[in-house]
Amino acid sequence: AAYDLHEADTVRDTHPDNAKLIKKGWHVDWAVAQPDYAAEYPEKLAMAVFVKGEIAVLALKGTNPGSMSDVHLDASSIVGGVPPCGPLLLAAAKVQEYQANGKSVMVTGHSLGGYMAEVVATNCQISGVGFCAPGSGWHAGKAHAGFQNVNFQHDLAGNVGAGVFEHPQWSVYRSEERRVGKECRSRW
């Protein structure tokens, strides 16, 4: 649902994935859209906080190939090694804010969002899961038993720089995939 922040200022109730979350009792409590492009390193990565009861999940948007800001973040941080300070500081401030309000905070993301979820989780020592993401290398903090990476064995983008951009904890690798329409989904 956080991918809706590519086209909108917030995650819309009408977004199909968000509509499913709403039916299960979740709501978007806070969101920030990402700029289309920034000449300097982007200070923001699109993210939203979904809340249900005492749980807050910080969802970080992954790469949208149509977003030059996303492509810039990928090239700068994942390939070029520039620390993602702006997005990390914003995410860490939100984690602290929700924890101060008594919420148990988790983090998640896919692709670029999964990379950032690992950076946030290992630096803030919170739980969560990242999907199809390259390792955060030296941008990561200490391994955290509550955070897990899930990648496909043959995911070229998620496994880019394997051995260089390492994950601080062991990853779970799925070897099987099945194609459903234009999307690729794993057999869970």
Side-chain angles (χ1 to χ4, degrees):
Y3 278 91
D4 199 24
L5 295 168
H6 178 71
E7 298 175 0
D9 290 338
T10 191
V11 180
R12 297 171 285 200
D13 292 349
T14 56
H15 187 279
D17 293 325
N18 195 30
K20 291 176 189 176
L21 291 169
I22 291 168
K23 285 181 182 178
K24 294 182 180 194
W26 292 91
H27 72 276
V28 176
D29 196 61
W30 173 86
V32 63
Q34 188 172 332
D36 288 331
Y37 185 74
E40 297 294 320
Y41 187 84
E43 287 299 311
K44 292 186 218 172
L45 173 69
M47 58 184 83
V49 176
F50 295 82
V51 174
K52 180 179 179 180
E54 297 305 311
I55 300 172
V57 177
L58 176 62
L60 301 153
K61 178 185 159 288
T63 302
N64 183 318
S67 168
M68 290 308 296
S69 185
D70 290 346
V71 172
H72 191 184
L73 272 164
D74 284 335
S76 296
S77 287
I78 296 171
V79 178
V82 176
C85 297
L88 174 58
L89 290 172
L90 177 59
K94 283 295 159 187
V95 167
Q96 261 188 327
E97 177 184 324
Y98 281 88
Q99 287 175 333
N101 288 322
K103 302 286 187 204
S104 177
V105 182
M106 299 176 73
V107 63
T108 192
H110 167 261
S111 181
L112 171 62
Y115 156 82
M116 279 305 303
E118 181 174 77
V119 171
V120 172
T122 57
N123 281 286
C124 296
Q125 292 295 286
I126 62 171
S127 298
V129 63
F131 297 94
C132 302
S136 55
W138 68 274
H139 298 158
K142 290 180 69 174
H144 180 49
F147 184 81
Q148 188 64 61
N149 309 298
V150 179
N151 280 8
F152 289 111
Q153 184 177 1
H154 301 291
D155 178 6
L156 295 177
N159 297 322
V160 69
V164 176
F165 304 111
E166 295 180 346
H167 297 283
Q169 62 280 324
W170 288 101
S171 296
V172 172
Y173 286 94
R174 294 289 303 155
S175 61
E176 297 178 22
E177 298 176 1
R178 67 183 163 116
R179 298 210 176 269
V180 180
K182 292 183 181 179
E183 297 179 20
C184 182
R185 300 177 191 257
S186 70
R187 294 182 199 160
W188 291 98

